[in-house]
Every structure is written in structure tokens, then in C-alpha cells.
Amino acid sequence: MFLTNPIIYFLNTNGVTVLVLFILVILFIDSRNREVFSHAVVVFFVTVVVVALLKELFNMPRPFEATNVVPLAGLTQLPSFPSGHAATAFAVSTVVALHRKRLGIFFLILSSLIAIGRVAANVHYPIDVTFGMLVGVMIALFFDTLHMKIRGKKRKLHS
């Protein structure tokens, strides 16, 4: 199976960390994106906290625990629902998409691949990654709307 490949395993386990760090470095390097960088950092940390609270609230077992099989990815100590990988990847990617459309679409596609990989690795159910995605996107949209209201700005998308 393709998930037994060490590179795929690494990306499925640490892919969200690599993606988020990659996005933050790209945003930080370009001084035009410093505000987007700040938004991404805030949204990332808020998403981590919200997901941790939801995981404790629902405390759902992971698919490999329910079926008694070996997981094909790591980072499986916390409950399954919602997916923190999907939530954080989509939260940060959505921030980018709101400010830099083309780059954001690219990152949203990578986020989707991370989410699909978590299901394929038997560490999340499809509902876990779907809800994680929704949590991440909603947090990003909430903070963007709040920021726009405070600044009295209207959204202008850049390619």
C-alpha cells in the first residue's frame, strides 16, 4: 500500500506542520504579506485551542482503535473528532486564499490531500476531516470578518 512508503508516512504524520511552516515562511519573507502572516498565526493558534476543546468534548476513538488494526500514520494519541490536521491546514490555507487567491487555492488543494491521507491512513473517519475542515475555514472567516469590520475595509483579492 502506498501509505507504507516512509515519505508518505512522514507527510501524512507531519504534513500539516510542513505545510503551515511553509505557508508562514512564504508570508513572512514577502513584506507585503506581513498582515496576512499575522492573521495566519492567530488563526492557527485559535484553531489548535478550539480543536483541543472539541476533542475533549467528543472524545471519539480513532478508526484503527475501533477496528484493532495498526495505524498507517503517527500523531494519534488524541481523540479522533475533529481532525486537527484538517482544521489547522484549512484554517491557515483559507487565510492565504482570502488575501492571495491563487496561492490560497494551491494550499487548499494541499490541505485536501492531507485530510484524505489521514482517512486513508486509518487515523480519522471522513466526518473527522470534514468537520475539521469546516472548523478551520469558519475560524479563518470569523477572524477575517472581524478584522475587516474593525478596519472598515472591503475585501480585495490579489492573484
Side-chain angles (χ1 to χ4, degrees), residues 38-92:
S38 301
H39 293 178
V41 169
V42 168
V43 164
F44 173 78
F45 283 111
V46 169
T47 302
V48 167
V49 170
V50 169
V51 166
L53 293 171
L54 290 170
K55 282 181 177 291
E56 284 300 313
L57 178 67
F58 291 103
N59 199 25
M60 300 293 294
R62 292 183 178 268
F64 72 88
E65 294 170 323
T67 58
N68 238 2
V69 297
V70 177
L72 299 174
L75 303 175
T76 60
Q77 294 79 19
L78 298 173
S80 182
F81 183 85
S83 168
H85 280 74
T88 54
F90 275 94
V92 174

